[in-house]
Coordinates of all heavy atoms in Angstrom, one line a residue:
M3 N 28.2 -66.9 -33.3 CA 27.4 -66.4 -32.2 C 27.7 -65.0 -31.9 O 26.9 -64.2 -31.5 CB 27.7 -67.3 -31.0 CG 26.9 -67.0 -29.9 SD 25.6 -68.1 -29.8 CE 25.5 -68.7 -28.2
T4 N 28.9 -64.5 -32.2 CA 29.3 -63.2 -31.9 C 28.6 -62.2 -32.9 O 28.2 -61.1 -32.4 CB 30.9 -63.0 -32.2 OG1 31.5 -64.1 -31.6 CG2 31.3 -61.7 -31.7
E5 N 28.4 -62.6 -34.1 CA 27.6 -61.8 -35.0 C 26.2 -61.6 -34.5 O 25.6 -60.5 -34.6 CB 27.6 -62.4 -36.4 CG 28.9 -62.2 -37.1 CD 28.8 -62.6 -38.5 OE1 27.7 -62.5 -39.2 OE2 29.8 -63.2 -39.0
E6 N 25.6 -62.7 -34.0 CA 24.2 -62.6 -33.4 C 24.2 -61.7 -32.2 O 23.3 -60.9 -32.1 CB 23.8 -64.0 -33.1 CG 23.5 -64.9 -34.3 CD 23.2 -66.3 -33.9 OE1 23.2 -66.7 -32.7 OE2 22.9 -67.1 -34.8
M7 N 25.2 -61.8 -31.4 CA 25.3 -60.9 -30.2 C 25.4 -59.5 -30.6 O 24.8 -58.6 -30.1 CB 26.5 -61.3 -29.3 CG 26.4 -62.7 -28.8 SD 25.4 -62.8 -27.3 CE 26.4 -62.1 -26.1
N8 N 26.3 -59.3 -31.7 CA 26.5 -57.9 -32.1 C 25.1 -57.3 -32.7 O 24.8 -56.1 -32.5 CB 27.6 -57.9 -33.2 CG 29.0 -58.0 -32.5 OD1 29.1 -57.8 -31.4 ND2 29.9 -58.4 -33.4
A9 N 24.4 -58.2 -33.5 CA 23.2 -57.8 -34.1 C 22.2 -57.4 -33.0 O 21.4 -56.4 -33.1 CB 22.6 -58.8 -35.0
I10 N 22.1 -58.3 -32.0 CA 21.2 -58.1 -30.8 C 21.6 -56.8 -30.1 O 20.7 -56.0 -29.7 CB 21.1 -59.3 -29.9 CG1 20.4 -60.4 -30.6 CG2 20.4 -59.0 -28.6 CD1 20.5 -61.8 -29.9
Q11 N 22.9 -56.6 -29.9 CA 23.4 -55.4 -29.2 C 23.0 -54.2 -30.0 O 22.6 -53.2 -29.4 CB 24.9 -55.5 -29.0 CG 25.5 -54.4 -28.2 CD 24.9 -54.3 -26.7 OE1 24.6 -55.3 -26.2 NE2 24.8 -53.1 -26.2
H12 N 23.2 -54.2 -31.3 CA 22.8 -53.1 -32.2 C 21.3 -52.8 -32.1 O 20.9 -51.6 -32.1 CB 23.3 -53.4 -33.6 CG 22.9 -52.3 -34.6 ND1 23.5 -51.1 -34.6 CD2 22.0 -52.3 -35.6 CE1 23.0 -50.3 -35.5 NE2 22.0 -51.1 -36.2
L13 N 20.5 -53.9 -32.2 CA 19.1 -53.7 -32.1 C 18.7 -53.0 -30.7 O 17.8 -52.2 -30.7 CB 18.3 -55.0 -32.3 CG 18.4 -55.6 -33.7 CD1 17.7 -56.9 -33.8 CD2 17.7 -54.6 -34.7
L14 N 19.3 -53.4 -29.7 CA 19.1 -52.9 -28.4 C 19.4 -51.4 -28.3 O 18.7 -50.5 -27.7 CB 19.8 -53.6 -27.2 CG 19.2 -55.0 -27.0 CD1 20.1 -55.7 -25.9 CD2 17.8 -55.0 -26.4
E15 N 20.6 -51.1 -28.9 CA 21.0 -49.6 -29.0 C 20.0 -48.8 -29.8 O 19.6 -47.7 -29.5 CB 22.4 -49.5 -29.6 CG 23.5 -50.1 -28.7 CD 24.8 -50.1 -29.4 OE1 24.9 -49.6 -30.6 OE2 25.7 -50.6 -28.8
V16 N 19.5 -49.4 -30.9 CA 18.5 -48.7 -31.8 C 17.2 -48.5 -31.0 O 16.6 -47.4 -31.0 CB 18.3 -49.5 -33.0 CG1 17.0 -48.9 -33.9 CG2 19.5 -49.5 -34.0
E17 N 16.8 -49.5 -30.2 CA 15.6 -49.4 -29.4 C 15.8 -48.3 -28.3 O 14.9 -47.6 -28.1 CB 15.3 -50.8 -28.8 CG 14.0 -50.7 -28.0 CD 13.6 -52.1 -27.4 OE1 14.3 -53.1 -27.7 OE2 12.7 -52.1 -26.6
A18 N 16.9 -48.3 -27.7 CA 17.2 -47.3 -26.7 C 17.2 -45.9 -27.3 O 16.6 -45.0 -26.7 CB 18.5 -47.6 -26.0
D19 N 17.8 -45.7 -28.5 CA 17.7 -44.5 -29.2 C 16.3 -44.1 -29.5 O 15.9 -42.9 -29.4 CB 18.6 -44.5 -30.4 CG 20.1 -44.5 -30.2 OD1 20.5 -44.2 -29.1 OD2 20.9 -44.9 -31.1
A20 N 15.5 -45.0 -30.0 CA 14.2 -44.7 -30.3 C 13.4 -44.3 -29.0 O 12.5 -43.4 -29.1 CB 13.5 -46.0 -30.9
A21 N 13.6 -45.0 -27.9 CA 12.9 -44.7 -26.7 C 13.3 -43.3 -26.3 O 12.4 -42.5 -25.8 CB 13.3 -45.7 -25.6
L22 N 14.6 -42.9 -26.4 CA 15.0 -41.6 -26.1 C 14.4 -40.5 -27.0 O 13.9 -39.5 -26.4 CB 16.6 -41.5 -26.2 CG 17.2 -40.2 -25.8 CD1 17.0 -39.9 -24.4 CD2 18.7 -40.2 -26.1
M23 N 14.3 -40.8 -28.2 CA 13.6 -39.9 -29.2 C 12.1 -39.7 -28.8 O 11.6 -38.6 -28.9 CB 13.8 -40.4 -30.6 CG 15.2 -40.2 -31.1 SD 15.5 -41.0 -32.7 CE 14.3 -40.4 -33.7
V24 N 11.5 -40.8 -28.5 CA 10.1 -40.8 -28.1 C 9.9 -39.9 -26.8 O 9.0 -39.1 -26.7 CB 9.5 -42.2 -27.9 CG1 8.2 -42.1 -27.2 CG2 9.4 -42.9 -29.2
N25 N 10.8 -40.1 -25.8 CA 10.7 -39.4 -24.6 C 10.9 -37.9 -24.9 O 10.2 -37.0 -24.3 CB 11.7 -39.9 -23.6 CG 11.3 -41.2 -23.0 OD1 10.2 -41.5 -22.9 ND2 12.4 -41.9 -22.4
E26 N 11.9 -37.6 -25.7 CA 12.1 -36.1 -26.1 C 10.9 -35.5 -26.8 O 10.5 -34.4 -26.5 CB 13.3 -36.0 -26.9 CG 14.6 -36.2 -26.2 CD 15.9 -36.2 -27.0 OE1 15.7 -35.8 -28.2 OE2 17.0 -36.5 -26.6
A27 N 10.3 -36.3 -27.7 CA 9.1 -35.8 -28.4 C 8.0 -35.6 -27.5 O 7.2 -34.7 -27.5 CB 8.7 -36.8 -29.5
Q28 N 7.9 -36.5 -26.5 CA 6.8 -36.4 -25.5 C 7.0 -35.1 -24.6 O 6.0 -34.4 -24.3 CB 6.7 -37.6 -24.6 CG 5.6 -37.6 -23.6 CD 4.2 -37.7 -24.3 OE1 4.0 -38.5 -25.2 NE2 3.3 -36.8 -23.9
K29 N 8.2 -34.9 -24.3 CA 8.5 -33.7 -23.5 C 8.2 -32.4 -24.3 O 7.6 -31.5 -23.7 CB 10.0 -33.6 -23.1 CG 10.3 -34.6 -22.0 CD 11.8 -34.5 -21.6 CE 12.2 -35.6 -20.6 NZ 13.7 -35.6 -20.3
K30 N 8.6 -32.4 -25.6 CA 8.2 -31.3 -26.4 C 6.7 -31.1 -26.6 O 6.2 -30.0 -26.5 CB 8.9 -31.4 -27.8 CG 10.3 -31.2 -27.8 CD 10.9 -31.3 -29.2 CE 12.5 -31.1 -29.2 NZ 13.0 -31.3 -30.5
A31 N 6.0 -32.2 -26.7 CA 4.5 -32.1 -26.9 C 3.9 -31.6 -25.6 O 3.0 -30.8 -25.7 CB 4.0 -33.5 -27.2
D32 N 4.4 -32.1 -24.5 CA 3.9 -31.6 -23.2 C 4.2 -30.1 -23.0 O 3.2 -29.5 -22.5 CB 4.5 -32.5 -22.0 CG 4.1 -33.9 -22.0 OD1 3.0 -34.2 -22.6 OD2 4.7 -34.7 -21.3
A33 N 5.3 -29.7 -23.4 CA 5.6 -28.3 -23.3 C 4.7 -27.5 -24.2 O 4.2 -26.4 -23.8 CB 7.1 -28.0 -23.7
R34 N 4.5 -27.9 -25.4 CA 3.6 -27.2 -26.3 C 2.1 -27.1 -25.8 O 1.4 -26.1 -25.9 CB 3.6 -27.8 -27.7 CG 4.8 -27.5 -28.5 CD 4.7 -28.2 -29.8 NE 6.0 -28.0 -30.6 CZ 6.2 -28.5 -31.8 NH1 5.3 -29.3 -32.3 NH2 7.3 -28.2 -32.4
I35 N 1.7 -28.3 -25.2 CA 0.3 -28.4 -24.7 C 0.3 -27.4 -23.5 O -0.8 -26.7 -23.3 CB 0.0 -29.8 -24.3 CG1 -0.2 -30.7 -25.5 CG2 -1.2 -29.9 -23.4 CD1 -0.3 -32.2 -25.3
S36 N 1.2 -27.4 -22.6 CA 1.3 -26.5 -21.5 C 1.2 -25.1 -21.9 O 0.5 -24.3 -21.3 CB 2.4 -26.8 -20.6 OG 2.5 -26.0 -19.5
E37 N 2.0 -24.7 -22.9 CA 2.1 -23.4 -23.4 C 0.7 -23.0 -24.0 O 0.2 -21.9 -23.7 CB 3.2 -23.2 -24.4 CG 3.4 -21.8 -25.0 CD 4.5 -21.8 -26.0 OE1 5.5 -22.4 -25.8 OE2 4.3 -21.1 -27.0
A38 N 0.1 -23.9 -24.8 CA -1.2 -23.6 -25.4 C -2.2 -23.5 -24.4 O -3.1 -22.5 -24.4 CB -1.5 -24.7 -26.4
R39 N -2.2 -24.3 -23.3 CA -3.2 -24.2 -22.3 C -3.1 -22.8 -21.5 O -4.1 -22.2 -21.3 CB -3.0 -25.3 -21.2 CG -4.0 -25.3 -20.1 CD -3.9 -26.5 -19.2 NE -4.4 -27.7 -19.9 CZ -3.7 -28.8 -19.9 NH1 -2.5 -28.9 -19.5 NH2 -4.2 -29.9 -20.6
A40 N -1.8 -22.5 -21.2 CA -1.6 -21.2 -20.5 C -2.1 -20.0 -21.4 O -2.7 -19.1 -20.9 CB -0.1 -21.0 -20.2
Q41 N -1.8 -20.1 -22.7 CA -2.3 -19.0 -23.6 C -3.8 -19.0 -23.7 O -4.4 -17.9 -23.6 CB -1.7 -19.2 -25.0 CG -2.0 -18.0 -25.9 CD -1.4 -18.2 -27.3 OE1 -0.6 -19.1 -27.5 NE2 -1.7 -17.3 -28.2
A42 N -4.4 -20.1 -23.8 CA -5.9 -20.2 -23.8 C -6.5 -19.7 -22.6 O -7.5 -19.0 -22.6 CB -6.3 -21.7 -24.1
E43 N -5.9 -20.1 -21.4 CA -6.5 -19.6 -20.1 C -6.3 -18.0 -20.1 O -7.2 -17.4 -19.6 CB -5.8 -20.2 -19.0 CG -6.2 -21.6 -18.8 CD -5.4 -22.3 -17.6 OE1 -4.6 -21.7 -17.0 OE2 -5.7 -23.5 -17.4
S44 N -5.2 -17.6 -20.5 CA -5.0 -16.1 -20.5 C -6.0 -15.3 -21.4 O -6.6 -14.4 -21.0 CB -3.5 -15.7 -21.0 OG -3.4 -14.4 -21.1
E45 N -6.2 -15.9 -22.6 CA -7.2 -15.3 -23.5 C -8.6 -15.4 -22.9 O -9.4 -14.4 -23.1 CB -7.1 -16.0 -24.9 CG -5.8 -15.7 -25.6 CD -5.7 -16.5 -26.9 OE1 -6.7 -17.3 -27.3 OE2 -4.7 -16.4 -27.6
F46 N -8.9 -16.5 -22.3 CA -10.2 -16.7 -21.7 C -10.4 -15.7 -20.6 O -11.5 -15.0 -20.5 CB -10.4 -18.1 -21.2 CG -11.7 -18.2 -20.3 CD1 -12.9 -18.4 -21.0 CD2 -11.7 -18.2 -19.0 CE1 -14.0 -18.5 -20.2 CE2 -12.8 -18.3 -18.2 CZ -14.0 -18.5 -18.9
K47 N -9.4 -15.5 -19.7 CA -9.5 -14.6 -18.6 C -9.7 -13.1 -19.1 O -10.5 -12.4 -18.6 CB -8.3 -14.6 -17.7 CG -8.3 -15.9 -16.8 CD -7.1 -15.9 -15.9 CE -7.1 -17.2 -15.1 NZ -5.9 -17.3 -14.3
T48 N -9.0 -12.8 -20.2 CA -9.1 -11.4 -20.8 C -10.5 -11.3 -21.3 O -11.2 -10.2 -21.1 CB -8.0 -11.2 -21.9 OG1 -6.7 -11.4 -21.2 CG2 -8.1 -9.9 -22.5
A49 N -11.0 -12.2 -22.1 CA -12.3 -12.1 -22.7 C -13.4 -12.1 -21.6 O -14.3 -11.4 -21.7 CB -12.5 -13.3 -23.7
Y50 N -13.2 -12.9 -20.6 CA -14.2 -13.0 -19.5 C -14.3 -11.7 -18.8 O -15.4 -11.2 -18.5 CB -13.8 -14.2 -18.6 CG -14.8 -14.3 -17.5 CD1 -16.0 -15.0 -17.7 CD2 -14.6 -13.8 -16.2 CE1 -16.9 -15.1 -16.7 CE2 -15.5 -13.9 -15.2 CZ -16.7 -14.6 -15.4 OH -17.6 -14.8 -14.4
A51 N -13.1 -11.1 -18.5 CA -13.1 -9.8 -17.8 C -13.7 -8.7 -18.6 O -14.5 -7.9 -18.1 CB -11.6 -9.4 -17.5
A52 N -13.5 -8.7 -20.0 CA -14.1 -7.7 -20.8 C -15.6 -7.9 -20.9 O -16.4 -6.9 -20.8 CB -13.5 -7.8 -22.2
F53 N -16.0 -9.1 -21.0 CA -17.4 -9.5 -21.1 C -18.1 -9.1 -19.7 O -19.2 -8.5 -19.7 CB -17.7 -10.9 -21.4 CG -19.1 -11.3 -21.4 CD1 -20.0 -11.0 -22.4 CD2 -19.7 -12.0 -20.3 CE1 -21.3 -11.3 -22.4 CE2 -21.0 -12.4 -20.3 CZ -21.8 -12.0 -21.4
S54 N -17.5 -9.4 -18.6 CA -18.0 -9.1 -17.3 C -18.2 -7.7 -17.1 O -19.2 -7.2 -16.6 CB -17.1 -9.7 -16.2 OG -17.6 -9.4 -14.9
E55 N -17.1 -6.9 -17.5 CA -17.2 -5.4 -17.4 C -18.3 -4.8 -18.2 O -19.1 -4.0 -17.8 CB -15.9 -4.9 -17.8 CG -15.8 -3.3 -17.6 CD -14.4 -2.8 -18.0 OE1 -13.4 -3.5 -17.7 OE2 -14.3 -1.7 -18.5
K56 N -18.5 -5.4 -19.5 CA -19.5 -4.9 -20.3 C -20.9 -5.2 -19.7 O -21.8 -4.4 -19.7 CB -19.4 -5.5 -21.7 CG -20.4 -5.1 -22.7 CD -20.1 -5.8 -24.0 CE -21.2 -5.4 -25.1 NZ -20.9 -6.1 -26.4
L57 N -21.0 -6.4 -19.2 CA -22.3 -6.8 -18.6 C -22.6 -6.0 -17.3 O -23.8 -5.6 -17.2 CB -22.2 -8.3 -18.2 CG -23.5 -9.0 -17.7 CD1 -24.6 -8.9 -18.9 CD2 -23.3 -10.4 -17.4
E58 N -21.6 -5.7 -16.5 CA -21.9 -4.9 -15.3 C -22.2 -3.5 -15.7 O -23.1 -2.8 -15.1 CB -20.6 -4.9 -14.5 CG -20.5 -6.2 -13.7 CD -19.1 -6.2 -12.9 OE1 -18.4 -5.2 -12.9 OE2 -18.9 -7.3 -12.3
S59 N -21.6 -2.9 -16.8 CA -21.9 -1.6 -17.3 C -23.4 -1.6 -17.8 O -24.1 -0.6 -17.5 CB -21.0 -1.2 -18.4 OG -21.3 0.0 -18.9
Y60 N -23.8 -2.6 -18.5 CA -25.1 -2.6 -19.1 C -26.1 -2.8 -17.9 O -27.2 -2.1 -17.9 CB -25.2 -3.9 -20.0 CG -26.6 -4.1 -20.5 CD1 -27.2 -3.3 -21.5 CD2 -27.4 -5.1 -19.9 CE1 -28.5 -3.6 -21.9 CE2 -28.7 -5.4 -20.4 CZ -29.2 -4.6 -21.3 OH -30.5 -4.8 -21.8
E61 N -25.8 -3.6 -16.9 CA -26.7 -3.7 -15.8 C -26.8 -2.4 -15.0 O -28.0 -2.1 -14.6 CB -26.1 -4.8 -14.8 CG -27.0 -5.1 -13.7 CD -26.6 -4.4 -12.4 OE1 -25.5 -3.9 -12.3 OE2 -27.4 -4.4 -11.5
A62 N -25.8 -1.7 -14.8 CA -25.9 -0.4 -14.2 C -26.7 0.6 -14.9 O -27.5 1.3 -14.4 CB -24.4 0.1 -13.9
S63 N -26.5 0.7 -16.3 CA -27.3 1.6 -17.0 C -28.8 1.2 -17.0 O -29.7 2.1 -17.0 CB -26.8 1.7 -18.5 OG -27.0 0.5 -19.2
E64 N -29.1 -0.1 -17.2 CA -30.5 -0.5 -17.1 C -31.1 -0.3 -15.7 O -32.3 0.1 -15.7 CB -30.5 -2.0 -17.4 CG -30.3 -2.3 -18.9 CD -31.4 -1.7 -19.8 OE1 -32.6 -2.0 -19.6 OE2 -31.0 -1.1 -20.7
R65 N -30.3 -0.5 -14.7 CA -30.8 -0.2 -13.3 C -31.2 1.3 -13.2 O -32.2 1.6 -12.6 CB -29.8 -0.6 -12.3 CG -30.3 -0.4 -10.9 CD -29.2 -0.9 -9.9 NE -28.8 -2.3 -10.0 CZ -29.4 -3.2 -9.4 NH1 -30.4 -3.0 -8.5 NH2 -29.0 -4.5 -9.6
E66 N -30.3 2.1 -13.7 CA -30.6 3.5 -13.6 C -31.8 3.9 -14.5 O -32.6 4.7 -14.0 CB -29.3 4.3 -14.2 CG -29.4 5.8 -14.0 CD -28.2 6.5 -14.5 OE1 -27.1 6.0 -14.4 OE2 -28.3 7.6 -15.1
A67 N -31.9 3.4 -15.7 CA -33.1 3.7 -16.4 C -34.4 3.2 -15.8 O -35.4 3.9 -15.8 CB -33.0 3.0 -17.8
I68 N -34.3 2.0 -15.1 CA -35.5 1.5 -14.4 C -35.9 2.4 -13.2 O -37.0 2.7 -13.0 CB -35.3 0.1 -14.0 CG1 -35.3 -0.8 -15.2 CG2 -36.3 -0.4 -13.0 CD1 -34.8 -2.3 -15.0
E69 N -34.9 2.8 -12.5 CA -35.1 3.7 -11.4 C -35.7 5.0 -11.8 O -36.7 5.6 -11.2 CB -33.8 3.9 -10.6 CG -33.4 2.8 -9.8 CD -32.0 3.0 -9.1 OE1 -31.5 4.1 -9.1 OE2 -31.5 2.0 -8.5
K70 N -35.2 5.6 -12.9 CA -35.8 6.8 -13.4 C -37.2 6.6 -13.9 O -38.1 7.5 -13.6 CB -35.0 7.3 -14.7 CG -33.7 8.0 -14.3 CD -33.0 8.4 -15.5 CE -31.6 9.1 -15.2 NZ -30.9 9.5 -16.3
E71 N -37.5 5.5 -14.5 CA -38.9 5.2 -14.9 C -39.8 5.0 -13.7 O -40.9 5.5 -13.7 CB -38.9 4.0 -15.8 CG -40.3 3.6 -16.3 CD -40.9 4.7 -17.3 OE1 -40.2 5.4 -17.9 OE2 -42.1 4.7 -17.4
Q72 N -39.3 4.3 -12.7 CA -40.1 4.1 -11.5 C -40.4 5.5 -10.8 O -41.5 5.7 -10.4 CB -39.3 3.2 -10.5 CG -40.1 3.0 -9.2 CD -39.2 2.5 -8.1 OE1 -38.0 2.6 -8.1 NE2 -39.8 2.0 -7.0
M73 N -39.4 6.4 -10.7 CA -39.6 7.7 -10.1 C -40.6 8.5 -10.9 O -41.5 9.2 -10.3 CB -38.3 8.4 -9.9 CG -37.3 7.8 -9.0 SD -38.0 7.5 -7.3 CE -38.2 9.2 -6.8
K74 N -40.6 8.4 -12.2 CA -41.5 9.1 -13.1 C -42.9 8.6 -12.9 O -43.9 9.4 -12.7 CB -41.1 8.9 -14.6 CG -42.0 9.5 -15.5 CD -41.4 9.3 -17.0 CE -42.5 9.7 -18.0 NZ -42.0 9.3 -19.4
V75 N -43.1 7.3 -12.9 CA -44.4 6.7 -12.7 C -44.9 7.0 -11.3 O -46.1 7.3 -11.1 CB -44.4 5.1 -12.9 CG1 -45.6 4.5 -12.4 CG2 -44.1 4.8 -14.3
F76 N -44.1 6.9 -10.3 CA -44.5 7.2 -8.9 C -44.8 8.6 -8.8 O -45.9 9.0 -8.1 CB -43.3 6.8 -7.9 CG -43.7 7.1 -6.5 CD1 -44.6 6.2 -5.8 CD2 -43.2 8.2 -5.8 CE1 -45.0 6.5 -4.5 CE2 -43.6 8.4 -4.5 CZ -44.4 7.6 -3.8
G77 N -44.1 9.5 -9.4 CA -44.4 11.0 -9.4 C -45.8 11.2 -10.0 O -46.6 12.0 -9.5
A78 N -46.0 10.5 -11.1 CA -47.4 10.7 -11.8 C -48.5 10.2 -10.9 O -49.5 10.8 -10.8 CB -47.3 10.0 -13.2
Y79 N -48.2 9.1 -10.3 CA -49.2 8.5 -9.3 C -49.5 9.5 -8.2 O -50.6 9.7 -7.8 CB -48.8 7.1 -8.8 CG -49.7 6.5 -7.8 CD1 -51.0 6.1 -8.2 CD2 -49.3 6.4 -6.5 CE1 -51.8 5.5 -7.3 CE2 -50.2 5.8 -5.6 CZ -51.4 5.4 -6.0 OH -52.3 4.8 -5.1
A80 N -48.4 9.9 -7.6 CA -48.6 10.9 -6.4 C -49.3 12.2 -6.9 O -50.2 12.7 -6.1 CB -47.2 11.2 -5.8
Q81 N -49.0 12.7 -8.0 CA -49.7 13.8 -8.6 C -51.1 13.5 -8.8 O -52.0 14.4 -8.5 CB -49.0 14.3 -9.8 CG -49.5 15.6 -10.4 CD -48.7 16.1 -11.6 OE1 -48.0 15.3 -12.2 NE2 -48.9 17.3 -11.9
S82 N -51.4 12.4 -9.4 CA -52.9 12.0 -9.6 C -53.6 11.9 -8.2 O -54.8 12.3 -8.2 CB -53.0 10.8 -10.4 OG -52.7 9.6 -9.6
L83 N -53.0 11.5 -7.2 CA -53.6 11.4 -5.9 C -53.8 12.8 -5.4 O -54.9 13.1 -4.7 CB -52.7 10.6 -4.9 CG -52.7 9.1 -5.1 CD1 -51.8 8.4 -4.1 CD2 -54.1 8.4 -5.1
D84 N -52.8 13.6 -5.5 CA -53.0 15.0 -5.0 C -54.1 15.8 -5.8 O -54.8 16.6 -5.2 CB -51.6 15.8 -5.2 CG -50.6 15.3 -4.1 OD1 -51.0 14.7 -3.1 OD2 -49.4 15.6 -4.4
S85 N -54.2 15.5 -7.0 CA -55.2 16.3 -7.8 C -56.5 15.7 -7.8 O -57.5 16.2 -8.3 CB -54.7 16.4 -9.3 OG -54.6 15.2 -9.9
A86 N -56.7 14.5 -7.3 CA -58.0 13.8 -7.2 C -58.9 14.6 -6.2 O -58.4 15.1 -5.2 CB -57.9 12.4 -6.8
S87 N -60.2 14.7 -6.6 CA -61.1 15.4 -5.7 C -61.3 14.5 -4.5 O -61.4 13.3 -4.5 CB -62.4 15.7 -6.4 OG -63.0 14.5 -6.7
K88 N -61.4 15.2 -3.3 CA -61.6 14.4 -2.1 C -62.9 14.9 -1.4 O -63.1 16.1 -1.2 CB -60.4 14.7 -1.2 CG -59.1 14.2 -1.7 CD -57.9 14.7 -1.0 CE -56.6 14.3 -1.6 NZ -56.2 15.2 -2.7
D89 N -63.7 13.9 -1.1 CA -65.0 14.2 -0.4 C -64.8 13.7 1.0 O -65.1 12.6 1.4 CB -66.1 13.4 -1.1 CG -67.5 13.8 -0.6 OD1 -67.6 14.6 0.3 OD2 -68.5 13.3 -1.1
K90 N -64.3 14.6 1.8 CA -63.9 14.3 3.2 C -65.2 14.0 4.0 O -65.2 13.1 4.9 CB -63.1 15.4 3.8 CG -61.8 15.6 3.3 CD -61.0 16.7 3.9 CE -59.6 16.9 3.3 NZ -58.9 18.0 3.9
E91 N -66.3 14.7 3.8 CA -67.5 14.4 4.6 C -68.0 13.0 4.3 O -68.4 12.4 5.3 CB -68.6 15.5 4.2 CG -68.2 16.9 4.7 CD -69.2 17.9 4.3 OE1 -70.4 17.5 4.1 OE2 -68.8 19.1 4.3
S92 N -68.1 12.6 3.1 CA -68.6 11.3 2.7 C -67.6 10.2 3.3 O -68.1 9.2 3.9 CB -68.7 11.1 1.2 OG -69.6 12.0 0.7
F93 N -66.3 10.4 3.2 CA -65.4 9.5 3.8 C -65.5 9.4 5.3 O -65.6 8.3 5.8 CB -64.0 10.0 3.4 CG -62.9 9.0 3.9 CD1 -62.7 7.8 3.3 CD2 -62.1 9.4 5.0 CE1 -61.7 7.0 3.8 CE2 -61.1 8.6 5.4 CZ -60.9 7.3 4.9
N94 N -65.6 10.5 5.9 CA -65.8 10.5 7.4 C -67.1 9.8 7.8 O -67.2 9.1 8.8 CB -65.6 11.9 8.0 CG -64.2 12.4 7.9 OD1 -63.3 11.7 7.8 ND2 -64.1 13.7 7.9
G95 N -68.1 10.1 7.0 CA -69.4 9.5 7.3 C -69.3 8.0 7.1 O -69.9 7.2 7.9
L96 N -68.6 7.5 6.1 CA -68.5 6.1 5.9 C -67.7 5.4 7.0 O -68.1 4.4 7.5 CB -67.8 5.8 4.5 CG -67.5 4.4 4.2 CD1 -68.8 3.5 4.1 CD2 -66.7 4.2 2.9
L97 N -66.6 6.1 7.4 CA -65.9 5.5 8.5 C -66.7 5.5 9.8 O -66.6 4.5 10.5 CB -64.6 6.4 8.8 CG -63.5 6.2 7.9 CD1 -62.3 7.1 8.3 CD2 -63.0 4.8 7.8
E98 N -67.5 6.5 10.1 CA -68.4 6.5 11.3 C -69.3 5.3 11.2 O -69.5 4.6 12.2 CB -69.1 7.8 11.3 CG -68.3 9.0 11.6 CD -68.3 9.4 13.1 OE1 -69.3 9.0 13.8 OE2 -67.4 10.1 13.5
K99 N -69.9 5.2 10.0 CA -70.9 4.1 9.8 C -70.2 2.7 10.0 O -70.8 1.8 10.7 CB -71.4 4.2 8.4 CG -72.5 3.2 8.1 CD -73.1 3.4 6.7 CE -74.0 2.3 6.3 NZ -74.4 2.5 4.9
L100 N -69.0 2.5 9.4 CA -68.4 1.2 9.4 C -67.8 0.9 10.8 O -67.9 -0.2 11.3 CB -67.3 1.1 8.4 CG -67.7 1.1 7.0 CD1 -66.5 1.2 6.0 CD2 -68.6 -0.1 6.7
L101 N -67.2 1.9 11.5 CA -66.5 1.7 12.8 C -67.5 1.7 14.0 O -67.2 1.0 14.9 CB -65.4 2.6 12.9 CG -64.3 2.5 11.9 CD1 -63.3 3.6 12.1 CD2 -63.6 1.2 12.0
F102 N -68.4 2.6 13.9 CA -69.2 2.8 15.2 C -70.6 2.4 15.0 O -71.4 2.6 16.0 CB -69.1 4.3 15.5 CG -67.7 4.7 15.8 CD1 -67.1 5.6 14.9 CD2 -66.9 4.2 16.8 CE1 -65.8 6.1 15.1 CE2 -65.6 4.7 17.0 CZ -65.0 5.5 16.1
A103 N -71.0 1.9 14.0 CA -72.5 1.5 13.8 C -72.7 0.1 14.2 O -72.0 -0.8 14.3 CB -73.0 1.7 12.4

C-alpha cells in the first residue's frame, strides 16, 4: 500500500507542477496580450491623429478654395448687375401701376 501511496503522491506532485506551469504560461500569455494591445492602441492613436490632421488640413484648403470661388462668382454677379442697363422710368411706371392702380 505504501508504493501505491507514493505513486499517488508523486502523481499529485506532477499535477501540481503542471498546474503551476500552466499558470505561469497563462501569466506570460496575458502579459504578451496586454503588451500587444497597448502597442496596437498606440499605433492606432498615432495613425488616427495623422489621418485626422491630414483630413482637417484638406478640409481647410477645400473650404478656402470654395470661399474664393464663391467670392469670384458673387463678384461676377454683382458686376453683371452693375453693368446691366436699367430702365428706371419703365420700372417706376410698373410699380405705380401695380401698387396704386
Side-chain angles (χ1 to χ4, degrees):
M3 186 100 132
T4 313
E5 282 186 36
E6 292 174 355
M7 296 277 287
N8 287 340
I10 292 173
Q11 184 64 31
H12 176 70
L13 290 174
L14 289 174
E15 289 173 6
V16 169
E17 184 180 353
D19 289 342
L22 183 62
M23 289 171 51
V24 167
N25 287 338
E26 288 177 9
Q28 185 64 47
K29 286 180 186 178
K30 286 181 182 180
D32 290 343
R34 285 183 182 173
I35 290 170
S36 178
E37 183 180 321
R39 180 177 288 128
Q41 184 177 357
E43 286 177 3
S44 175
E45 289 173 5
F46 172 79
K47 286 180 182 178
T48 302
Y50 182 80
F53 177 75
S54 177
E55 184 177 321
K56 183 178 176 183
L57 188 61
E58 286 175 4
S59 174
Y60 174 75
E61 185 262 342
S63 67
E64 287 296 309
R65 183 181 300 269
E66 185 177 326
I68 289 169
E69 286 177 8
K70 284 181 181 179
E71 181 65 24
Q72 179 199 15
M73 293 305 292
K74 180 180 169 185
V75 169
F76 182 74
Y79 176 69
Q81 187 176 15
S82 73
L83 289 179
D84 288 341
S85 66
S87 63
K88 297 167 184 84
D89 187 0
K90 292 181 182 178
E91 290 179 21
S92 295
F93 180 73
N94 289 337
L96 177 62
L97 283 179
E98 293 263 339
K99 182 178 171 185
L100 291 174
L101 295 176
F102 302 114

